[in-house]
């Protein structure tokens, strides 16, 4: 069973229903999963229509993939400040702050 | 507590007016039918049917509460303590012979085929009645009928679904449903018996049409439903068996007086007027 909480929400899995066919599932789902105003829309898919990935080992990771995760960027501000200081100590004083994306640099210089 | 209890005896409003009698017919059918449907809560053949049927049963009791409120006051006021006390007194504080529901509603659940057959037949009668009452000259009755008709749509969807499934399945499913429907449709004719005050409420437009016309509209509504499933012959039944006649006048069977009524009212009678 999938339900949509609000009109613009995506369908989200809410659980299962045991029923002999599609129509029975749709009639009974209202009370099984949506009896407390949980949804503005719902849908059912036969469980044998779900195609599971055969080789679940392809989900395993054996190397560090921190750079793909938000957690890999924690403390970024401090790291950047430290890098800047180190660069200045080495005399790299012309290190520029990059303009924020979308800012029109040419108009700023006037 | 003592004052509430003392007041309870006075809280039952006069139930003799034609308007009150109409509201009792509507409320009592829903209340008693709801109680009998609630039998399946926890023991239905499947958990999903259990949940759906429990809701339908609860709706029946709730709808009865709402009809009774209109006996006490002109507009719905569920939160008013005086209304609550009076509604409980109407629903649970009457002697069995003051109830106006049809005898079909009080029959024990027997098996799931019987309960579903009663659900199919009675909920269609209720739907026709709600549609008629939306044209009531009493704005409170018309307004409530409109609200309840909205909820009634799920009852009909659920009822018609099981009718089609069981009748279409053939074999034992079909046979047991047919046997149950034969009994239920015959006893359902008791729903169309006139009640005290019916002539007055029809003349005043509170109930826009009488029991004969309600029956005719019910037959009209059921015809396409039964026709497609080869069950149209059931609609030729137009006489009520003696033992299922008289509910509208307060003549009830032992299924009510000795079974459902004592159980349904036991808690209320243990401490009338208590707030639960």
């Amino acid at each position: 069973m999938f339900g949509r909480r609000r009109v613009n929400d995506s369908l989200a899995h809410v659980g299962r229903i045991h029923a002999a066919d599609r129509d029975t599932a749709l009639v009974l789902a209202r009370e099984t999963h949506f009896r407390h105003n949980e949804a503005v829309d719902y849908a059912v898919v036969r469980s044998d229509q779900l195609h599971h990935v055969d080789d679940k080992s392809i989900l395993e990771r054996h190397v560090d993939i921190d750079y793909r995760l938000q957690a890999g960027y924690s403390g970024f501000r401090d790291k950047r400040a430290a890098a800047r200081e180190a660069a200045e100590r080495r005399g790299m004083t012309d290190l520029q702050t990059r303009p924020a994306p979308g800012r029109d640099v040419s108009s700023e210089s006037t | 507590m003592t004052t509430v209890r003392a007041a309870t005896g006075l809280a039952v409003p006069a139930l003799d007016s034609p308007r009150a009698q109409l509201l009792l017919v509507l409320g009592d059918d829903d209340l008693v039918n709801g109680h009998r449907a609630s039998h399946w809560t926890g023991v239905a053949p499947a958990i999903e049917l259990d949940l759906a049927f429990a809701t339908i049963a609860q709706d029946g009791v709730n709808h009865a509460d709402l009809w009774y409120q209109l006996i006490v006051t002109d507009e719905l006021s569920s939160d008013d303590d005086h209304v609550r006390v009076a509604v409980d007194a109407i629903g649970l504080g009457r002697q069995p012979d003051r109830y106006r529901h049809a005898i079909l509603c009080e029959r024990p659940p027997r098996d799931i085929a019987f309960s579903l057959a009663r659900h199919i037949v009675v909920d269609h009668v209720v739907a026709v009645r709600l549609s008629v009452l939306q044209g009531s000259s009493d704005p409170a009755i018309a307004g409530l009928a409109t609200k309840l008709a909205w909820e009634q749509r799920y009852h009909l969807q659920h009822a018609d679904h099981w009718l089609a499934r069981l009748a279409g399945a053939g074999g034992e499913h079909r046979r047991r449903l047919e046997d149950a429907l034969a009994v239920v449709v015959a006893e359902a004719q008791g729903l169309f018996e006139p009640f005290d005050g019916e002539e007055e409420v029809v003349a005043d437009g509170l109930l826009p049409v009488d029991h004969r016309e309600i029956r005719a509209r019910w037959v009209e509504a059921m015809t396409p439903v039964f026709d497609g499933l080869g069950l149209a012959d059931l609609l030729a039944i137009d006489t009520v068996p003696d033992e299922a006649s008289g509910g509208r006048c307060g003549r009830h069977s032992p299924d009510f007086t000795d079974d459902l009524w004592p159980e349904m009212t036991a808690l209320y009678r243990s401490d009338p007027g208590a707030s639960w």
Side-chain angles (χ1 to χ4, degrees):
Chain A
M1 293 304 313
F2 296 85
R4 209 188 293 282
R5 269 191 174 276
R6 285 176 296 274
V7 201
N8 291 324
D9 287 354
S10 304
L11 283 170
H13 186 238
V14 298
R16 297 153 63 108
I17 191 161
H18 189 73
D21 59 23
R22 184 189 67 189
D23 290 340
T24 308
L26 286 171
V27 167
L28 297 180
R30 186 187 103 142
E31 294 307 313
T32 311
H33 292 295
F34 307 105
R35 56 199 272 125
H36 304 117
N37 293 329
E38 292 95 337
V40 295
D41 177 27
Y42 65 82
V44 66
V45 177
R46 285 179 58 111
S47 51
D48 66 7
Q49 290 302 304
L50 292 173
H51 304 288
H52 291 268
V53 58
D54 288 331
D55 178 6
K56 292 173 182 55
S57 72
I58 63 162
L59 289 166
E60 294 170 15
R61 296 290 172 188
H62 297 283
V63 294
D64 182 8
I65 51 151
D66 253 15
Y67 56 89
R68 290 195 194 155
L69 306 172
Q70 201 175 352
Y73 295 86
S74 65
F76 173 72
R77 236 173 249 279
D78 295 340
K79 286 181 194 167
R80 186 178 59 182
R84 218 173 249 139
E85 272 175 35
E88 276 171 17
R89 277 200 301 277
R90 289 202 301 273
M92 299 172 71
T93 49
D94 59 341
L95 209 62
Q96 296 292 317
T97 307
R98 265 172 121 188
R103 220 162 85 190
D104 188 345
V105 185
S106 61
S107 67
E108 249 177 38
S109 59
T110 56
Chain B
M1 189 57 74
T2 316
T3 40
V4 176
R5 195 178 303 165
T8 309
L10 304 170
V12 187
L15 300 177
D16 297 330
S17 74
R19 181 178 181 277
Q21 288 291 313
L22 167 65
L23 291 165
L24 284 184
V25 165
L26 301 171
D28 290 351
D29 278 351
D30 280 341
L31 178 71
V32 174
N33 209 36
H35 266 281
R36 283 306 196 189
S38 74
H39 167 89
W40 293 103
T41 304
V43 294
I47 184 72
E48 291 85 356
L49 172 61
D50 196 307
L51 286 164
F53 213 45
T55 291
I56 289 166
Q58 270 186 333
D59 281 351
V61 176
N62 183 43
H63 294 182
D65 186 311
L66 295 165
W67 289 124
Y68 297 150
Q69 284 182 40
L70 293 188
I71 297 179
V72 185
T73 156
D74 281 341
E75 36 188 78
L76 299 175
S77 40
S78 309
D79 300 331
D80 184 318
D81 286 346
H82 299 290
V83 174
R84 287 261 44 92
V85 169
V87 163
D88 284 350
I90 294 171
L92 304 168
R94 279 176 288 156
Q95 289 302 304
D97 64 350
R98 302 299 303 272
Y99 284 80
R100 292 292 178 261
H101 60 273
I103 286 178
L104 170 63
C105 303
E106 72 203 31
R107 293 304 194 197
R110 298 185 197 180
D111 60 6
I112 193 71
F114 180 84
S115 284
L116 286 175
R118 174 163 55 190
H119 165 43
I120 291 158
V121 169
V122 174
D123 269 310
H124 272 283
V125 176
V126 170
V128 167
R129 213 157 57 181
L130 289 173
S131 139
V132 163
L133 288 167
Q134 288 181 60
S136 174
S137 60
D138 184 314
I141 293 176
L144 179 53
T146 305
K147 282 186 192 177
L148 300 188
W150 186 262
E151 279 199 356
Q152 195 65 16
R153 296 184 320 153
Y154 183 68
H155 294 205
L156 294 189
Q157 191 190 16
H158 186 265
D160 290 350
H161 177 77
W162 285 110
L163 174 66
R165 287 288 302 176
L166 295 173
E172 188 190 354
H173 310 286
R174 165 101 187 188
R175 184 179 53 72
R176 286 176 66 174
L177 180 73
E178 269 186 31
D179 291 350
L181 279 172
V183 175
V184 165
V185 171
E187 297 211 337
Q189 306 309 312
L191 288 154
F192 305 117
E193 290 186 315
F195 55 91
D196 287 342
E198 184 184 293
E199 278 179 33
E200 287 91 330
V201 289
V202 170
D204 291 346
L206 262 65
L207 177 62
V209 300
D210 71 3
H211 62 277
R212 289 179 204 85
E213 177 62 19
I214 290 177
R215 182 178 182 282
R217 292 188 194 184
W218 171 76
V219 170
E220 201 181 320
M222 291 311 285
T223 300
V225 182
F226 277 173
D227 256 356
L229 299 165
L231 296 167
D233 287 353
L234 288 168
L235 294 171
I237 301 172
D238 60 357
T239 47
V240 55
D242 285 347
E243 66 272 17
S245 169
R248 293 284 186 247
C249 318
R251 201 166 63 243
H252 294 288
S253 74
D255 291 334
F256 186 62
T257 56
D258 301 351
D259 182 27
L260 182 57
W261 184 84
E263 183 188 304
M264 181 175 94
T265 60
L267 188 61
Y268 179 82
R269 284 182 291 117
S270 73
D271 189 0
S275 183
W276 297 98

